[in-house]
Amino acid sequence: MAYPDGLLGADEHVVVHKHPHWKMLIVPVLVLFVVVGGGSYLAALAAPTDWHVPVWIGLAVVGAVLVVWFTLSPLVRWRTTHFVVTTHRLMVREGVFTRSGIDIPMSRINSVRFRHGLLDRILGCGTLVVESASDEPLEFDDIPQVERVHTLLYREVNDDPRDDRDYRAREGY
């Protein structure tokens, strides 16, 4: 069973399921290239010396720590962050070891807005702002296809089953 199917109610269906936009992985990939390139360069500099083996081991350890901390960790964080719109609620889940999440029933959402600057428009992402019955609006950054998600979420919030063509036909409208 794929995520989030195990979290859904009997008559609940997934409308949108997204991970954050891939732009949040640009810096971790650049760090990977710098660590590998810099480590290779320093290893090549140490090769002609008599103590090159301990230097290589030290470079490998430092490089591995940097790659795990600055590349693998953001990749796993990106992969385990879920933004899900269902027919009944908005769900956001994030985290690896310590999971956190929020569920907002559609009936509690007051308004849905989005914003994106020039770079976000070029990359096709943005920030989704959801105002619910709580005091502060919730902002979800780096949502891919934010305008489409905004439209779908707005439709789900304002969805009236009586607007459905099949419902009207069954009820004789």
Side-chain angles (χ1 to χ4, degrees):
M1 178 180 310
Y3 187 86
D5 294 342
L7 303 174
L8 301 180
D11 61 340
E12 190 174 16
H13 303 286
V14 173
V15 177
V16 175
H17 180 191
K18 301 275 186 188
H19 293 286
H21 195 267
W22 56 264
K23 82 173 189 177
M24 73 177 288
L25 298 175
I26 292 173
V27 171
V29 168
L30 290 176
V31 168
L32 175 67
F33 290 153
V34 167
V35 167
V36 170
S40 299
Y41 177 73
L42 292 174
L45 286 179
T49 64
D50 291 338
W51 38 270
H52 65 277
V53 173
V55 170
W56 287 352
I57 292 171
L59 287 172
V61 169
V62 170
V65 168
L66 291 174
V67 167
V68 166
W69 192 264
F70 292 109
T71 301
L72 290 180
S73 176
L75 178 65
V76 170
R77 193 175 316 114
W78 172 82
R79 187 71 181 118
T80 59
T81 300
H82 300 271
F83 181 85
V84 181
V85 177
T86 72
T87 52
H88 292 41
R89 60 189 162 156
L90 167 67
M91 299 186 318
V92 178
R93 300 285 190 274
E94 55 190 10
V96 179
F97 299 113
T98 304
R99 299 272 301 159
S100 64
I102 185 168
D103 289 6
I104 306 171
M106 289 297 173
S107 61
R108 307 275 292 177
I109 296 176
N110 296 332
S111 69
V112 182
R113 298 181 285 137
F114 72 90
R115 70 172 176 268
H116 50 174
L118 181 60
L119 181 61
D120 286 341
R121 290 177 69 187
I122 291 170
L123 294 175
C125 64
T127 300
L128 190 69
V129 181
V130 176
E131 292 183 26
S132 65
S134 67
D135 294 336
E136 297 288 324
L138 300 169
E139 294 189 5
F140 303 103
D141 297 324
D142 296 331
I143 302 295
Q145 301 172 339
V146 71
E147 289 186 54
R148 180 176 174 270
V149 172
H150 167 266
T151 302
L152 291 172
L153 183 56
Y154 180 79
R155 284 183 187 157
E156 289 300 320
V157 166
N158 294 311
D159 191 23
D160 185 355
R162 292 174 294 192
D163 294 339
D164 187 20
R165 183 176 54 199
D166 296 333
Y167 175 85
R168 290 193 310 259
R170 278 192 314 271
E171 300 298 319
Y173 288 101

